[in-house]
Structures are given as structure tokens and as C-alpha cells.
């Protein structure tokens, strides 16, 4: 019987969330193991065994329920008091259910089993277990970890905030239902779009897992890319930009720095030389505001052209152009939203897109026999 390494949370026949196993834990075959081979280390109980509880179990005379044991190490996952009680009765063997899998996952199972039956874990025991689970499974949600340890999601969230540096770089967290939900929906979609571009044959499940998004979101990103749309819906991009602006204002207020007129961040004192779209090196400066305005005006004319509107290729061209005809302020907000750890990749991809557009323009001009700007 195995436990999937790094597994999510699932339901077993008792109706309690535990580490996912390949079958319900109470349906695992029972075997007899020598007590002398068992290891009683790594208990979720901070104070160890309760001597009075062991004595009560030993004197009861009832058959002891099977314990749970990690097969590779013979470490007892659940049932340490029963092992001691069996030894007090003079038994040399005990019934057990054997499990394989990662020890960190099995610790979560041990905590949950001790919460739902037998001698209850103390609040200190459960709090210590949450701290450990936050370290070994930071991708699990507060609600999922709280359900395992018998604490509220609010208490888990408070402990998570206290622990330095945890989950700060995670793309998402796994909920009780086993589904991954991104901490930043925009970053998840952008990462998915890059993965789809780099590995077009990858399945939606693979893309969703690596980008920490749902399969449905991965499907939407792929659909948007195929139709020439931006992978992130416009409304979501606006909310992301608004959130960054508010955060910037808070930081400036804390630092005692006034915000720039109009509420936006102040521009740097000296602008860097503009980059040429093909090479990424210093290039000729372009009046960005006027250029974007002109592009939108041209796009408006093209959208009214029936030869483009009523052909599949024409509609694809219009959608691609529409996705890129953003005003300078919008591009600046998008640039501000790029995480530092993937800035280089985003810049490279942007330059590649710019080079592709330039090559496309040259092909169109060559085919039509026109020079730049549509002049013959």
C-alpha cells in the first residue's frame, strides 16, 4: 500500500481529509509484525506517551485496533500507545497496516489520525504540527492544513505569517479538494502562456501543474493564444495594475515620499536610452504617445475593412494588432507588474515579438510592393 509522495489532500472512508492513498486507509490489508522491529520516534505528541492511557488500554482486555506503520523504516505512524499496551500484555506481535511513501506526507496522516480518534492531541501538539506542515508543505492552503491539525484556517494563516520566508515565492497553494489555486492569477496565466509557447505539445494538465493554475484556466490561456488574444483578460490586468498602484502609494506613504502628480509613481530623473525592438540595444527614440495613438487610429480603419473582417486570416491579424495597440501608460503598468525573477525572460520574449512584427511588416510591404508607412 503506497502514499503518493507530495500528494494533495483527499477523502478516505471516514470522511476526513488525509494524505491521498491508493485506497482507503482502513481498507489496507492487516498484517502481523514483531513489536521488536517497530520504531516509536517522530510522534506529533510533544510530551510523548501518556502512561495512564497506555495502562488503561493494557488493562481493558479488548482487541487493539491495527496500527499504521511506515514499511521502509518500520516507524509507527499511528498507534504508539497501542504498541506499549500490547507489550505490557506480554504480546510479541501486533496487527498493523503497512504504508509506503514520503515521511513528510505520512506525518500529515499521523496528525490527522490522532486528531480524529484515540487520545486527542493538545493545542500545543496541533500548533507544533501546523508549524511543521507549513515548512514541509507550504503549498497546502491554510484551510487544508487546519483541517488536518484540527485548527481554524485563521489560526494557520496567523502562524504562516509569523514564520519567516515561507511560501513567499510560491505560485499557488493546494486546497482541501486537491486543486491548485494561484496566489497571483496574472503571473500564473503569463507563466502558462510561456510554457505553452515553449512546449506546444504539453498537456493542459502539465501546464496547469507547473503554472499553479487550474486546468480550466490553462485551457483558456491556450484558447486566447490561438486566437491572438492576450493570455490575461483585460479586466484582470486592470485589477492587477490598480493593486500595484495602491501598494506603491502605501510604500511611499510609509517612507514619507510624496506621490507624483496625478497619483502615479514619479518618473525616474533620467530615462535610459530606448531599446531597438530587434536587438534590444540602444536605438532611435520614438514618440511613444503619438505612435500608439496613430496605431489605434489605423487599427480603427482596418477594423472597418470588410476584406479583413470577413476572412479568418484578417480577423487573426486584427486580433493580434488589437492586443498590442495599448497606450504607453498600459505598457508601463504591464512592465511594472513583471516579477523580478522572470524580467529577463519577459524582456527576451518581448524583443522576439517585436522582431516578429518587424519581419511581418517587411513581408507585407514586399508582397504589396510598398515601402515603409504604406508609401509606394
Amino acid at each position: 500500500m503506497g502514499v503518493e509522495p507530495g500528494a494533495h489532500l483527499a477523502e478516505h472512508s471516514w470522511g476526513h481529509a488525509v494524505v491521498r492513498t491508493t485506497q482507503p486507509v482502513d481498507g489496507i490489508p492487516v498484517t502481523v509484525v514483531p513489536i521488536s522491529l517497530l520504531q516509536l520516534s517522530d510522534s506529533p505528541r510533544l510530551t510523548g506517551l501518556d502512561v495512564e492511557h497506555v495502562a488503561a488500554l493494557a488493562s481493558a482486555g479488548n482487541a487493539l485496533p491495527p496500527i499504521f506503520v511506515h514499511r521502509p523504516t518500520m516507524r509507527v505512524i499511528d498507534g504508539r500507545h497501542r504498541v506499549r499496551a500490547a507489550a505490557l500484555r506480554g504480546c510479541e506481535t501486533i496487527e498493523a497496516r503497512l504504508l509506503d511513501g514520503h515521511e513528510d506526507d505520512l506525518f500529515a496522516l499521523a496528525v490527522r489520525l490522532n486528531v480524529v480518534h484515540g487520545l486527542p492531541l493538545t493545542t500545543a501538539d496541533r500548533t507544533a504540527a501546523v508549524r511543521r506542515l507549513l515548512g514541509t508543505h507550504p503549498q497546502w492552503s491554510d484551510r487544508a492544513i487546519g483541517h488536518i491539525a484540527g485548527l481554524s484556517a485563521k489560526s494557520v494563516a496567523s502562524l504562516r505569517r509569523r514564520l519567516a520566508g515561507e511560501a513567499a515565492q510560491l505560485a499557488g497553494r493546494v486546497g482541501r479538494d486537491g486543486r491548485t489555486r494561484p496566489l497571483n492569477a496574472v503571473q500564473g496565466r503569463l507563466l502558462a502562456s510561456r510554457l505553452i509557447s515553449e512546449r506546444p505539445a504539453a498537456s493542459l494538465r502539465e501546464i496547469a501543474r507547473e503554472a499553479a493554475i487550474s486546468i480550466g484556466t490553462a485551457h483558456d490561456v491556450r484558447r486566447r493564444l490561438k486566437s491572438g488574444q492576450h493570455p490575461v483578460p483585460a479586466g484582470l490586468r486592470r485589477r492587477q495594475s490598480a493593486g500595484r498602484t495602491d501598494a506603491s502609494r502605501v510604500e511611499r506613504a510609509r517612507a514619507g515620499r510624496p506621490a507624483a502628480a496625478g497619483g502615479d509613481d514619479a518618473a525616474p530623473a533620467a530615462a535610459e536610452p530606448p531599446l531597438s525592438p530587434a536587438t534590444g540595444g540602444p536605438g532611435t527614440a520614438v514618440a511613444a504617445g503619438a505612435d500608439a495613438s496613430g496605431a489605434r487610429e489605423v487599427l480603427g480603419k482596418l477594423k472597418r475593412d470588410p476584406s479583413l473582417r470577413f476572412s479568418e486570416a484578417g480577423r487573426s491579424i486584427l486580433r493580434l494588432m488589437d492586443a498590442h495597440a495599448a497606450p504607453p501608460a498600459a505598457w508601463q503598468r504591464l512592465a511594472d507588474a513583471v516579477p523580478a525573477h522572470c524580467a529577463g525572460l519577459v524582456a527576451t520574449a518581448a524583443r522576439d515579438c517585436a522582431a516578429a512584427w518587424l519581419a511581418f511588416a517587411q513581408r507585407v510591404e514586399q508582397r504589396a510592393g510598398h515601402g515603409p508607412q504604406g508609401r509606394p
Side-chain angles (χ1 to χ4, degrees):
M1 175 61 205
V3 174
E4 300 175 11
H8 299 165
L9 302 181
E11 300 292 325
H12 68 68
S13 59
W14 295 345
H16 298 293
V18 295
V19 178
R20 179 185 297 142
T21 57
T22 54
Q23 69 182 91
V25 290
D26 54 354
I28 301 170
V30 175
T31 186
V32 176
V33 299
I35 292 177
S36 60
L37 297 181
L38 298 176
Q39 303 292 325
L40 301 182
S41 60
D42 200 20
S43 170
R45 301 182 188 277
L46 298 177
T47 57
L49 293 174
D50 185 310
V51 177
E52 293 183 358
H53 187 59
V54 170
L57 289 175
S59 61
N62 300 328
L64 297 171
I67 64 174
F68 290 90
V69 177
H70 185 216
R71 190 196 313 269
T73 62
M74 295 303 289
R75 181 174 62 82
V76 176
I77 299 167
D78 177 60
R80 292 170 178 80
H81 289 96
R82 279 167 274 167
V83 171
R84 288 300 189 196
L88 280 179
R89 291 179 180 182
C91 301
E92 296 184 354
T93 61
I94 191 170
E95 291 185 339
R97 291 187 168 104
L98 304 181
L99 290 161
D100 298 300
H102 197 283
E103 293 190 43
D104 289 337
D105 292 333
L106 293 173
F107 177 79
L109 175 60
V111 173
R112 186 60 201 172
L113 291 174
N114 277 276
V115 165
V116 299
H117 74 87
L119 185 66
L121 294 176
T122 66
T123 301
D125 293 335
R126 287 178 278 135
T127 300
V130 166
R131 289 179 176 273
R132 175 166 170 175
L133 291 173
L134 285 171
T136 58
H137 298 85
Q139 75 277 17
W140 284 0
S141 69
D142 298 332
R143 187 179 299 275
I145 292 178
H147 188 73
I148 290 174
L151 291 179
S152 68
K154 184 177 180 180
S155 297
V156 176
S158 177
L159 285 170
R160 192 189 291 271
R161 287 193 295 269
R162 294 179 201 169
L163 298 179
E166 69 180 311
Q169 301 301 321
L170 290 175
R173 290 183 188 156
V174 179
R176 282 176 54 187
D177 56 4
R179 295 182 179 179
T180 299
R181 292 169 176 82
L183 300 181
N184 187 310
V186 172
Q187 291 182 20
R189 281 178 170 267
L190 292 175
L191 176 55
S193 68
R194 180 170 65 82
L195 293 172
I196 291 171
S197 299
E198 293 176 352
R199 292 152 47 196
S203 69
L204 290 175
R205 188 176 298 277
E206 292 173 339
I207 297 298
R209 182 176 62 250
E210 295 187 32
I213 58 177
S214 69
I215 294 178
T217 301
H219 176 76
D220 183 63
V221 171
R222 176 172 285 177
R223 179 187 62 79
R224 285 175 167 274
L225 292 177
K226 285 183 177 180
S227 63
Q229 300 180 67
H230 195 286
V232 183
L236 187 57
R237 298 200 302 271
R238 285 194 295 269
R239 289 195 296 273
Q240 172 84 353
S241 298
R244 289 185 62 85
T245 300
D246 291 343
S248 177
R249 288 173 179 167
V250 170
E251 289 301 318
R252 286 181 176 277
R254 289 176 178 173
R257 300 195 303 270
D264 293 328
D265 291 344
E272 295 183 1
L275 301 178
S276 108
T279 65
T284 303
V286 177
D291 185 61
S293 176
R296 290 195 297 274
E297 182 179 352
V298 170
L299 181 59
K301 293 179 180 179
L302 292 175
K303 286 181 176 180
R304 295 190 293 271
D305 190 321
S307 63
L308 290 174
R309 290 172 55 194
F310 299 113
S311 70
E312 183 60 35
R315 288 194 295 271
S316 295
I317 292 172
L318 292 176
R319 283 192 293 263
L320 287 168
M321 287 184 169
D322 191 44
H324 292 84
W331 286 113
Q332 182 59 54
R333 287 195 297 271
L334 290 174
D336 292 341
V338 175
H341 70 276
C342 61
L345 290 174
V346 172
T348 299
R351 291 184 184 120
D352 290 344
C353 289
W357 272 113
L358 181 60
F360 173 75
Q362 291 171 347
R363 292 191 189 100
V364 171
E365 290 168 351
Q366 290 170 1
R367 183 174 180 273
H370 287 182
Q373 305 298 327
R375 293 189 298 272

